[in-house]
C-alpha cells in the first residue's frame, strides 16, 4: 500500500505538541506493516534535509522518505503557527500553498498513492484539493483520502474574503462543504471531503459528536459517523524510554527503578528546589492553553505549594504566563516554572517526578500520561477523552488518580490521594513497577490504521 502522509509538524524535525510525536512515529510503524510511506511537511527554519531539489528538500530515515516543502517566505520563521500574541495572519496562504505542493510533488515523483493521510486543519486542504481540483486527474483516480483529527478545537477558521486565495470554486463555499457561519473552516472541509475520518482515542470519537465537545462541528461529525472512528495513539519507545534516554541524569527501567530517586534528587538540585526525596514532586509538560486545565492548576497552586513541590514546563497563552510567574515569585523553593519549549527538561520531568498532572478540560488522546507510565511517574488526570481510555484509577486496580468533576477542589483531592499512597513506600513502589510495565507501543495502533485505510 502506498501512503502519502501529510503533517504540519513531525518529530524530530519540528514539534509543538503531540501531532509531531504521532507524525514522527506512525509512518515508521506503517512501514513495518509493509506500507510504502512518504511523509510531507513544510521546510521550517533549522531543518536540514539530506538533499535539496527545486521546491523541496528530501531525507530518508529507515524505510520512510521525508519531503520538506520549501517556501522561505512562508516557512522560514521562528515559530510554526504564530507567537503568544496570536496566529500568523497568513496561515491560510501558508498551508494552502503547502497542500497544493504536496499533490504536485506526488505527481513529479510519479508516486500515485493509495491513501493520502492528512492531519488536522493544516493539511485538510490536501484532501479537499484531491477531491475537487484534481478530481478528474487520472493520477489520483485510485487515491482515497483519510483525515486524522488530533484536536477539534483548532479548525483553521478564516474570513470569507480570503476564499479566492484557496483556488477552490465558490460551489464549495456552502454549509455542506467548508462554510462555517459565514467563514472558511478548513477542518470542516477536510471532514466533508475525506473518505474516512478518525480521531485519536475511542472516547473522544464519541464525545465530539455531542454539543459539549463538538466545537460546533458535532452535526457534521454525526453525519459522518459511519466513516468516523477512534484509534488510540501510542508512544515511540525509541524516544520515550528511561532505559536508553540520554537526556535524563541516570538511566533506569521497570526491572530496576532505583535510579528514579537519583533523577529526582538531581533534578530538584538543578531546579533550585529543596532536595528532599520525601517531598511529593508534581510535574507538568504542556501547552499553556485553557484546554490543558491550567486554570484549575493555577487556582490550586497556593494550596499545593505549601505542602508539595511543582515543576511546570510550557509555553502558550500570555495570560497563564503572567499568573504562573506571579506564583513562581512567591514560592521559590517549591515551584519551578519554565516558560519555554525544551526537550531535555521535558524528559527530566517525566523521569524525576512522582506524579504527572494532566487535568485537561478535554483531551483528544494525550501522550504525556502514557510517557509518564514508562518513566514510573503516576498520572493524575481528569476523566475525559483519551484519558478515559488510558488511565484507570488506583482504586479500580489501575495506575493513576482520576477525578471526575472539573474543579480545583477535585484536582486537589486526587493529588492528596496520591500523597497518601506515596507515603506508603512499599505500596508506592509496587505501583511504580506496575505502570512502568504498561505497553502503549505503535505496533497494534499501526495495524488499526492499516485496517482503516483498507476500509476507505
Ligand atoms: P497536545 O498535542 O495537545 O499538546 P499531547 O499530550 O498529545 O498534547 O502531546 C504533548 C507532547 O508535547 C508531549 O510529547 C509533550 O512532552 C510535549 N510538550 C508539550 N509542551 C512542551 C514543552 N514546553 N517543552 C517540551 N515538550 C513539550
Amino acid at each position: 500500500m502506498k501512503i502519502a502522509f501529510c503533517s504540519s509538524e513531525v518529530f524530530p524535525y519540528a514539534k509543538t505538541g503531540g501531532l509531531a510525536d504521532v507524525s514522527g512515529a506512525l509512518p515508521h510503524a506503517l512501514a513495518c506493516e509493509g506500507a510504502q510511506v512518504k511523509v510531507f511537511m513544510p521546510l521550517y527554519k533549522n531543518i536540514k534535509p539530506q538533499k535539496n531539489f527545486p521546491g523541496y528538500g528530501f531525507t530518508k530515515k529507515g524505510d520512510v522518505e521525508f519531503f520538506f516543502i520549501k517556501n522561505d517566505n512562508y516557512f522560514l520563521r521562528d515559530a510554526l503557527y504564530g507567537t503568544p500574541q496570536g496566529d500568523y495572519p497568513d496561515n491560510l496562504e501558508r498551508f494552502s500553498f503547502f497542500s497544493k505542493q504536496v499533490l504536485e510533488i506526488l505527481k513529479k515523483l510519479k508516486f500515485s498513492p493509495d491513501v493520502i493521510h492528512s492531519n488536522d486543519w493544516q493539511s485538510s486542504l490536501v484532501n479537499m484539493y484531491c477531491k475537487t481540483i484534481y478530481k478528474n486527474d487520472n493520477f489520483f483516480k485510485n487515491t482515497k483520502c483519510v483525515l486524522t483529527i488530533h484536536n477539534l478545537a483548532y479548525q483553521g477558521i478564516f474570513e470569507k474574503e480570503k476564499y479566492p486565495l484557496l483556488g477552490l470554486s465558490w460551489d464549495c463555499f456552502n454549509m455542506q462543504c467548508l462554510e462555517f457561519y459565514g467563514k472558511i473552516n478548513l477542518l470542516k472541509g477536510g471532514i466533508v471531503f475525506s473518505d474516512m475520518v478518525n480521531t485519536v482515542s475511542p472516547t473522544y470519537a464519541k464525545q465530539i459528536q455531542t454539543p459539549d465537545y463538538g466545537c460546533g462541528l458535532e452535526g457534521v461529525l454525526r453525519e459522518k459517523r459511519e466513516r468516523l472512528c477512534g484509534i488510540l495513539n501510542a508512544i515511540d519507545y525509541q524516544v520515550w524510554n528511561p532505559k536508553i534516554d540520554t537526556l535524563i541524569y541516570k538511566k533506569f527501567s521497570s526491572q530496576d527503578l532505583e535510579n528514579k530517586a537519583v533523577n529526582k534528587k538531581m533534578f530538584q538540585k538543578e531546579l533550585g528546589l529543596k532536595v528532599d526525596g520525601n517531598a511529593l514532586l508534581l510535574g507538568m509538560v504542556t501547552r499553556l492553553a485553557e484546554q490543558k486545565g491550567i486554570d484549575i492548576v493555577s487556582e490550586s497552586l497556593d494550596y499545593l505549594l505549601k505542602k508539595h513541590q511543582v515543576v511546570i514546563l510550557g509555553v502558550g497563552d500570555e495570560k497563564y504566563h503572567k499568573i504562573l510567574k506571579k506564583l513562581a515569585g512567591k514560592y521559590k523553593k517549591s515551584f519551578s516554572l519554565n516558560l519555554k519549549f525544551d526537550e531535555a527538561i521535558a524528559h527530566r520531568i517525566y523521569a524525576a517526578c512522582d506524579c504527572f498532572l494532566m487535568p485537561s478540560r478535554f483531551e483528544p488522546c494525550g501522550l504525556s500520561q502514557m510517557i509518564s507510565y514508562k518513566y514510573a511517574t503516576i498520572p493524575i488526570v481528569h476523566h475525559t477523552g483519551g484519558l478515559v481510555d488510558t488511565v484507570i484509577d488506583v482504586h479500580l486496580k489501575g495506575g493513576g488518580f482520576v477525578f471526575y468533576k472539573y474543579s480545583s477542589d477535585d484536582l486537589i483531592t486526587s493529588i492528596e490521594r496520591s500523597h497518601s499512597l506515596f507515603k506508603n513506600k512499599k505500596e508506592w513502589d509496587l505501583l511504580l513497577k506496575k505502570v512502568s510495565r504498561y505497553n502503549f507501543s505503535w505496533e497494534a495502533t499501526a495495524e488499526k490504521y492499516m485496517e482503516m485505510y483498507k476500509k476507505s
Side-chain angles (χ1 to χ4, degrees), residues 9 15-22 150-151 154 200 233 235 240 284-288 291-292 313-315 338-347 350 356 358 360 363-369 371:
E9 50 183 278
K15 169 168 171 175
T16 69
L19 171 60
D21 291 274
V22 174
H150 297 260
N151 195 334
Y154 302 91
V200 286
N233 274 341
I235 293 296
W240 300 111
M284 208 171 172
V285 180
T286 185
R287 288 182 293 111
L288 293 175
Q291 174 208 339
K292 296 294 184 180
L313 169 67
V315 268
N338 307 270
L339 295 174
K340 56 183 167 180
F341 195 95
D342 189 312
E343 283 294 339
I345 299 181
H347 281 248
Y350 292 116
F356 190 92
M358 218 158 162
S360 307
E363 190 56 78
C365 177
L367 298 174
S368 297
Q369 76 281 21
I371 300 172

Side-chain angles (χ1 to χ4, degrees), residues 9 32 74 112 134 151 153 203 231 250 267 326 357 398 444 450:
E9 50 183 278
C32 289
Y74 285 152
S112 177
Y134 292 83
N151 195 334
T203 297
I231 301 179
K250 286 265 184 212
F267 197 43
K326 216 167 151 191
L357 300 181
M450 292 298 281

Side-chain angles (χ1 to χ4, degrees), residues 139-180:
F139 189 81
F140 295 109
K141 198 174 67 192
N142 297 318
T143 301
K144 298 291 183 185
C145 292
V146 169
L147 174 72
T148 300
I149 302 170
H150 297 260
N151 195 334
L152 192 62
Y154 302 91
Q155 299 181 358
I157 295 177
F158 300 93
E159 294 302 327
K160 182 182 175 182
E161 287 62 44
K162 290 217 165 196
Y163 193 78
L165 299 174
L166 291 175
L168 290 167
S169 132
W170 279 102
D171 292 349
C172 295
F173 194 77
N174 60 49
M175 263 173 58
Q176 276 68 47
C177 292
L178 50 75
E179 185 190 349
F180 186 70

Side-chain angles (χ1 to χ4, degrees), residues 163-266:
Y163 193 78
L165 299 174
L166 291 175
L168 290 167
S169 132
W170 279 102
D171 292 349
C172 295
F173 194 77
N174 60 49
M175 263 173 58
Q176 276 68 47
C177 292
L178 50 75
E179 185 190 349
F180 186 70
Y181 300 103
K183 296 190 180 185
I184 303 163
N185 184 326
L186 296 184
L187 190 70
K188 182 180 174 196
I191 294 168
V192 171
F193 281 106
S194 295
D195 297 291
M196 279 300 289
V197 176
N198 82 302
T199 182
V200 286
S201 71
T203 297
Y204 192 60
K206 282 189 212 127
Q207 286 180 325
I208 57 176
Q209 297 178 51
T210 67
D212 280 351
Y213 293 90
C215 303
L217 292 182
E218 59 275 10
V220 182
L221 289 159
R222 265 202 311 273
E223 233 166 81
K224 199 87 186 177
R225 64 184 173 277
E226 301 294 322
R227 312 238 110 224
L228 170 70
C229 65
I231 301 179
L232 192 70
N233 274 341
I235 293 296
D236 186 346
Y237 290 126
Q238 292 303 312
V239 178
W240 300 111
N241 186 349
K243 206 173 172 177
I244 52 170
D245 194 330
T246 52
L247 296 172
I248 63 176
Y249 303 98
K250 286 265 184 212
K251 299 187 179 80
F252 59 94
S253 72
S254 57
Q255 277 88 44
D256 184 3
L257 288 171
E258 234 169 77
N259 275 342
K260 182 163 171 74
V262 180
N263 277 285
K264 178 173 172 180
K265 286 195 174 151
M266 295 183 83

